[in-house]
Amino acid sequence: MTVSEARVRPGQVVEAYRHCERVVREEARNFSYGIRLMPVPKRRAMSAIYAFARGIDDIGDGPDPACVRLDQLDRSRRRLATVQDVLRGHAGVQELEGHPVLTALADAAGRFPIPLDAFDELIDGCEDDVRGADYKTFDDLLRYCQRVAGTVGRLSLGVFGGQGRLRAEGLADSLGVALQLTNILRDLREDRIAGRIYLPTEDLERFGCTLDLDDSGRFVDPPWRLNELVGFQAERARAWYAEGLRLLSLLDRRSAACTAAMAGIYRRLLENIAARPAQALNQRASLPTWQKAVVAARALSGVER
């Protein structure tokens, strides 16, 4: 039974989905272009997944002391367990009252085979981040990327459906890694100001970089070394995109369009960073709205693959 069929109160589920869709419109400046290409039921379910994941991510990146953020992440884990208890019939839907994201997520998981346990991995990754995990090797960073981005791909597959679930999950994981590597390059300076370094230590040593900042917040490493470091990371991300985008052939047309739009926007962002690393290192790179719309249109037509 879906949450909407339980009828906690008339319109509650509709309002819950509307809330999640607002979160997507306001916060998912890149993902929203793909999500809006989905049919309404799947678009709503994807919005619920994104809204819950975004809440977790915001806690991890928040300004509160680590102990407070860890407590908030544990609360998110307990709220996820409440959703699962409702779906199993171990708790009443009244437990979701006042929580529109949980209400929408429970309803979506009642309609689609969404692997909610994957959110636990996302929370695990954010907890490691809050505790100050460092990444000495790429394998260390890969585990983090799979937890915080690959999991969202696997959650999305529950909505998308498609062929060869095990193969699709592996490819979704690879695409998530590509997206997260792009995020890391885009946010390199912003993260460094916040005291976080995601690039592996072995890569920094290879290119002779420290990512230290001067008093004005600019990197002190020689520009040519930073350019080489960014170019190396961009090439690594391209390889993960090449692998992950093989997922498209396993999805239906609208799900493939959604995925292609999201990935296409991030790939263009990556290429902009690789082409102008000095600019990207001094200000947060982004694509203009018109270019994102073009990518989405090309994805829907099947050109963006």
Side-chain angles (χ1 to χ4, degrees), residues 77-270:
R77 202 185 295 276
R78 294 197 302 272
R79 286 175 173 170
L80 176 64
T82 297
V83 171
Q84 293 171 309
D85 284 344
V86 169
L87 291 168
R88 294 168 183 148
H90 298 161
V93 289
Q94 67 273 10
E95 297 293 328
L96 306 176
E97 282 280 359
H99 297 287
V101 174
L102 300 187
T103 299
L105 185 62
D107 190 73
R111 297 174 184 276
F112 300 98
I114 299 170
L116 294 178
D117 287 345
F119 278 117
D120 278 314
E121 293 181 59
L122 174 59
I123 295 171
D124 288 341
C126 286
E127 285 178 340
D128 287 346
D129 202 17
V130 171
R131 291 190 178 101
D134 57 358
Y135 309 99
K136 293 181 172 58
T137 68
F138 179 67
D139 284 344
D140 295 332
L141 179 61
L142 178 60
R143 281 191 290 273
Y144 170 74
C145 291
Q146 288 170 331
R147 279 179 163 179
V148 300
T151 51
V152 177
R154 279 175 265 142
L155 287 158
S156 300
L157 281 178
V159 178
F160 292 159
Q163 309 169 33
R165 183 59 182 261
L166 286 179
R167 180 165 178 260
E169 286 182 352
L171 296 175
D173 227 36
S174 296
L175 189 54
V177 171
L179 298 176
Q180 190 62 26
L181 291 176
T182 304
N183 273 339
I184 288 169
L185 284 179
R186 180 194 64 187
D187 300 338
L188 199 61
R189 179 171 174 270
E190 185 179 309
D191 286 333
R192 188 65 187 90
I193 290 172
R196 296 190 293 263
I197 296 177
Y198 291 98
L199 295 184
T201 302
E202 64 181 8
D203 293 347
L204 299 181
E205 292 174 350
R206 175 179 177 177
F207 292 96
C209 293
T210 64
L211 296 187
D212 289 340
L213 302 174
D214 62 20
D215 292 339
S216 66
R218 292 181 176 272
F219 290 107
V220 301
D221 295 309
W224 64 269
R225 288 184 178 174
L226 287 170
N227 290 353
E228 289 184 347
L229 175 65
V230 170
F232 176 78
Q233 301 301 332
E235 191 58 36
R236 172 180 277 159
R238 289 187 190 106
W240 285 95
Y241 277 115
E243 172 69 11
L245 285 170
R246 293 164 60 195
L247 172 66
L248 299 182
S249 64
L250 302 180
L251 303 177
D252 64 71
R253 177 175 172 269
R254 297 284 284 275
S255 298
C258 173
T259 305
M262 294 176 182
I265 289 170
Y266 272 82
R267 277 202 301 174
R268 276 163 176 70
L269 182 61
L270 175 70

Side-chain angles (χ1 to χ4, degrees), residues 5-56:
E5 289 168 341
R7 297 184 184 280
V8 178
R9 66 175 175 79
Q12 179 181 355
V13 173
V14 172
E15 287 302 318
Y17 278 128
R18 285 177 180 166
H19 171 83
C20 293
E21 290 178 316
R22 281 195 297 273
V23 171
V24 170
R25 285 196 304 272
E26 295 169 6
E27 305 292 342
R29 296 183 181 90
N30 294 323
F31 284 158
S32 63
Y33 286 86
I35 291 175
R36 70 180 62 173
L37 300 180
M38 301 291 287
V40 172
K42 291 188 175 184
R43 185 178 71 228
R44 288 175 173 171
M46 288 291 291
S47 297
I49 289 172
Y50 176 85
F52 190 70
R54 179 66 190 224
I56 295 168

